Protein backbone atom coordinates (compact mmCIF):
# COMPACT_ATOMS: atom_id res chain seq x y z
CA UNK A 1 0.00 0.00 0.00
CA UNK A 2 1.21 3.49 -0.77
CA UNK A 3 1.80 5.86 2.10
CA UNK A 4 -0.43 8.65 0.80
CA UNK A 5 -2.34 10.74 3.30
CA UNK A 6 -6.10 11.13 3.01
CA UNK A 7 -5.63 14.76 1.94
CA UNK A 8 -3.19 13.84 -0.83
CA UNK A 9 -5.52 11.10 -2.00
CA UNK A 10 -8.43 13.56 -2.06
CA UNK A 11 -6.43 15.96 -4.25
CA UNK A 12 -5.65 13.12 -6.63
CA UNK A 13 -9.33 12.13 -6.65
CA UNK A 14 -10.49 15.65 -7.54
CA UNK A 15 -7.90 15.79 -10.33
CA UNK A 16 -9.09 12.38 -11.51
CA UNK A 17 -12.71 13.60 -11.55
CA UNK A 18 -11.80 16.40 -13.94
CA UNK A 19 -9.72 14.20 -16.23
CA UNK A 20 -12.38 11.46 -16.32
CA UNK A 21 -15.02 14.06 -17.26
CA UNK A 22 -12.81 15.25 -20.11
CA UNK A 23 -12.20 11.67 -21.24
CA UNK A 24 -15.91 10.83 -21.11
CA UNK A 25 -16.59 13.86 -23.31
CA UNK A 26 -14.26 12.35 -25.93
CA UNK A 27 -11.76 15.16 -25.43
CA UNK A 28 -8.09 15.16 -24.48
CA UNK A 29 -5.68 17.53 -22.83
CA UNK A 30 -2.37 17.58 -24.72
CA UNK A 31 0.42 16.47 -22.40
CA UNK A 32 -1.89 14.55 -20.05
CA UNK A 33 -1.94 10.92 -21.15
CA UNK A 34 -2.48 7.85 -18.97
CA UNK A 35 -2.36 4.08 -19.28
CA UNK A 36 -5.49 1.95 -19.17
CA UNK A 37 -4.65 0.94 -15.59
CA UNK A 38 -4.24 4.59 -14.57
CA UNK A 39 -7.56 5.53 -16.19
CA UNK A 40 -9.26 2.69 -14.34
CA UNK A 41 -7.79 3.84 -11.04
CA UNK A 42 -8.80 7.45 -11.66
CA UNK A 43 -12.35 6.37 -12.38
CA UNK A 44 -12.44 4.48 -9.10
CA UNK A 45 -11.06 7.47 -7.21
CA UNK A 46 -13.53 9.88 -8.81
CA UNK A 47 -16.65 7.84 -8.03
CA UNK A 48 -17.29 9.31 -4.53
CA UNK A 49 -17.21 12.86 -5.94
CA UNK A 50 -20.54 14.14 -7.21
CA UNK A 51 -20.94 16.66 -10.02
CA UNK A 52 -22.02 19.43 -7.65
CA UNK A 53 -19.10 18.74 -5.31
CA UNK A 54 -16.63 18.88 -8.18
CA UNK A 55 -18.10 22.14 -9.47
CA UNK A 56 -17.77 23.63 -5.99
CA UNK A 57 -14.16 22.43 -5.90
CA UNK A 58 -13.37 24.16 -9.20
CA UNK A 59 -14.94 27.42 -8.00
CA UNK A 60 -13.11 27.38 -4.67
CA UNK A 61 -9.86 26.41 -6.39
CA UNK A 62 -10.22 29.28 -8.88
CA UNK A 63 -10.90 31.84 -6.15
CA UNK A 64 -7.96 30.71 -4.03
CA UNK A 65 -5.61 30.64 -7.02
CA UNK A 66 -6.65 34.14 -8.11
CA UNK A 67 -5.84 35.40 -4.63
CA UNK A 68 -2.46 33.66 -4.69
CA UNK A 69 -1.73 35.04 -8.16
CA UNK A 70 -2.63 38.57 -7.06
CA UNK A 71 -0.30 38.27 -4.07
CA UNK A 72 2.45 36.95 -6.34
CA UNK A 73 2.04 39.73 -8.89
CA UNK A 74 1.86 42.62 -6.43
CA UNK A 75 4.12 41.14 -3.77
CA UNK A 76 6.81 39.55 -5.95
CA UNK A 77 6.75 40.50 -9.62
CA UNK A 78 6.11 44.23 -9.25
CA UNK A 79 8.58 44.51 -6.36
CA UNK A 80 11.31 42.70 -8.29
CA UNK A 81 10.60 44.67 -11.46
CA UNK A 82 10.90 47.94 -9.52
CA UNK A 83 14.12 46.80 -7.86
CA UNK A 84 15.81 45.35 -10.94
CA UNK A 85 14.50 47.83 -13.50
CA UNK A 86 14.26 51.26 -11.80
CA UNK A 87 14.18 52.97 -15.20
CA UNK A 88 11.51 51.24 -17.31
CA UNK A 89 12.57 53.06 -20.47
CA UNK A 90 16.04 51.49 -20.25
CA UNK A 91 14.73 47.98 -19.63
CA UNK A 92 15.12 45.55 -22.51
CA UNK A 93 12.14 43.45 -23.58
CA UNK A 94 14.15 40.26 -23.08
CA UNK A 95 14.95 41.03 -19.43
CA UNK A 96 11.39 42.07 -18.62
CA UNK A 97 9.84 39.05 -20.34
CA UNK A 98 12.32 36.70 -18.64
CA UNK A 99 11.37 38.07 -15.22
CA UNK A 100 7.67 37.78 -16.02
CA UNK A 101 8.10 34.20 -17.25
CA UNK A 102 10.04 33.20 -14.13
CA UNK A 103 7.46 34.79 -11.81
CA UNK A 104 4.58 33.23 -13.76
CA UNK A 105 6.16 29.80 -13.44
CA UNK A 106 6.69 30.23 -9.70
CA UNK A 107 3.19 31.62 -9.14
CA UNK A 108 1.53 28.83 -11.13
CA UNK A 109 3.97 26.09 -10.12
CA UNK A 110 3.58 26.85 -6.41
CA UNK A 111 0.17 28.49 -6.38
CA UNK A 112 -1.76 25.77 -8.19
CA UNK A 113 -0.70 22.92 -5.84
CA UNK A 114 -1.47 25.15 -2.85
CA UNK A 115 -4.89 26.13 -4.17
CA UNK A 116 -5.71 22.51 -4.97
CA UNK A 117 -4.56 21.43 -1.52
CA UNK A 118 -6.72 24.03 0.23
CA UNK A 119 -9.71 23.42 -2.05
CA UNK A 120 -9.60 19.67 -1.50
CA UNK A 121 -9.38 20.26 2.25
CA UNK A 122 -12.30 22.71 2.29
CA UNK A 123 -14.61 20.89 -0.13
CA UNK A 124 -13.70 17.30 0.63
CA UNK A 125 -14.83 16.77 4.22
CA UNK A 126 -13.87 13.97 6.56
CA UNK A 127 -16.67 11.76 5.29
CA UNK A 128 -15.50 12.06 1.70
CA UNK A 129 -11.84 11.58 2.58
CA UNK A 130 -12.77 8.45 4.50
CA UNK A 131 -14.25 7.04 1.29
CA UNK A 132 -10.88 7.13 -0.45
CA UNK A 133 -8.76 4.03 0.07
CA UNK A 134 -5.14 4.12 -1.03
CA UNK A 135 -3.97 1.46 -3.45
CA UNK A 136 -0.60 0.46 -4.88
CA UNK A 137 0.43 2.89 -7.60
CA UNK A 138 -1.40 5.93 -6.22
CA UNK A 139 1.81 7.65 -5.16
CA UNK A 140 3.34 7.06 -8.59
CA UNK A 141 0.18 8.37 -10.28
CA UNK A 142 0.21 11.50 -8.11
CA UNK A 143 3.88 12.09 -8.98
CA UNK A 144 3.08 11.68 -12.66
CA UNK A 145 0.27 14.24 -12.46
CA UNK A 146 2.56 16.67 -10.65
CA UNK A 147 5.24 16.25 -13.31
CA UNK A 148 2.71 16.73 -16.12
CA UNK A 149 1.46 19.99 -14.59
CA UNK A 150 4.99 21.32 -14.06
CA UNK A 151 6.01 20.32 -17.59
CA UNK A 152 3.08 22.17 -19.14
CA UNK A 153 3.67 25.22 -16.95
CA UNK A 154 7.38 25.25 -17.83
CA UNK A 155 6.55 25.07 -21.53
CA UNK A 156 3.93 27.82 -21.35
CA UNK A 157 5.91 30.15 -19.11
CA UNK A 158 9.28 29.45 -20.71
CA UNK A 159 8.19 29.79 -24.32
CA UNK A 160 4.72 31.29 -24.65
CA UNK A 161 4.97 34.21 -22.21
CA UNK A 162 8.36 35.53 -23.45
CA UNK A 163 7.34 34.86 -27.04
CA UNK A 164 4.16 36.91 -26.78
CA UNK A 165 5.88 39.77 -24.98
CA UNK A 166 8.74 39.92 -27.47
CA UNK A 167 6.18 39.71 -30.26
CA UNK A 168 4.48 42.82 -28.84
CA UNK A 169 7.68 44.63 -27.85
CA UNK A 170 9.20 44.46 -31.32
CA UNK A 171 5.86 45.12 -33.03
CA UNK A 172 6.12 42.03 -35.20
CA UNK A 173 3.40 41.86 -37.83
CA UNK A 174 1.59 38.55 -37.57
CA UNK A 175 0.00 38.81 -40.96
CA UNK A 176 -3.37 37.48 -42.14
CA UNK A 177 -2.29 33.82 -41.98
CA UNK A 178 -1.38 33.91 -38.29
CA UNK A 179 -4.52 35.90 -37.50
CA UNK A 180 -6.67 33.38 -39.36
CA UNK A 181 -5.00 30.49 -37.55
CA UNK A 182 -5.63 32.18 -34.21
CA UNK A 183 -9.34 32.55 -34.85
CA UNK A 184 -9.50 29.04 -36.27
CA UNK A 185 -7.95 27.68 -33.07
CA UNK A 186 -10.48 29.62 -30.97
CA UNK A 187 -13.35 28.30 -33.09
CA UNK A 188 -12.11 24.71 -32.83
CA UNK A 189 -11.82 25.00 -29.06
CA UNK A 190 -15.36 26.34 -28.86
CA UNK A 191 -16.74 23.55 -31.06
CA UNK A 192 -14.84 20.94 -29.06
CA UNK A 193 -16.19 22.30 -25.78
CA UNK A 194 -19.81 22.45 -27.00
CA UNK A 195 -19.60 18.96 -28.53
CA UNK A 196 -18.12 17.51 -25.39
CA UNK A 197 -20.80 19.17 -23.25
CA UNK A 198 -23.59 17.73 -25.42
CA UNK A 199 -22.07 14.25 -25.34
CA UNK A 200 -21.74 14.45 -21.58
CA UNK A 201 -25.41 15.44 -21.19
CA UNK A 202 -26.55 12.59 -23.42
CA UNK A 203 -24.48 9.99 -21.56
Amino acid sequence: MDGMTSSALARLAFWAKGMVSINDARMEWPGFSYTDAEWARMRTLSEPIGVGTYQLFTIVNAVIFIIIAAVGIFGAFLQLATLLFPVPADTSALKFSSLLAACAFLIIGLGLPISMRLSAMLVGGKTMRAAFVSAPGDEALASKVSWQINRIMLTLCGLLVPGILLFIAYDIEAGPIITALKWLAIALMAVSTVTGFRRQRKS
Side-chain angles (χ1 to χ4, degrees), residues 107-119:
I107 291 172
I108 299 175
L110 297 177
L112 185 58
I114 292 175
S115 66
M116 291 184 65
R117 180 187 297 270
L118 293 176
S119 301

Side-chain angles (χ1 to χ4, degrees), residues 72-86 96 99-100 102-103 106:
I73 292 172
F74 291 101
F77 172 71
L78 291 180
Q79 300 300 322
L80 286 173
T82 302
L83 177 65
L84 297 175
F85 314 126
F96 181 82
L99 175 63
L100 180 59
C103 288
L106 289 176

Side-chain angles (χ1 to χ4, degrees), residues 88-132:
D90 296 336
T91 303
S92 68
L94 180 59
K95 291 180 180 179
F96 181 82
S97 60
S98 297
L99 175 63
L100 180 59
C103 288
F105 179 73
L106 289 176
I107 291 172
I108 299 175
L110 297 177
L112 185 58
I114 292 175
S115 66
M116 291 184 65
R117 180 187 297 270
L118 293 176
S119 301
M121 181 178 64
L122 293 173
V123 178
K126 292 182 179 180
T127 302
M128 179 176 293
R129 290 199 296 269
F132 300 127

Side-chain angles (χ1 to χ4, degrees), residues 14-35:
F14 276 111
W15 175 266
K17 182 67 175 182
M19 297 307 296
V20 167
S21 299
I22 292 172
N23 184 257
D24 288 343
R26 307 295 192 274
M27 296 187 297
E28 293 184 1
W29 272 11
F32 294 90
S33 60
Y34 303 97
T35 65

Side-chain angles (χ1 to χ4, degrees), residues 132-143:
F132 300 127
V133 180
S134 180
D138 284 351
E139 197 168 358
L141 179 57
S143 297

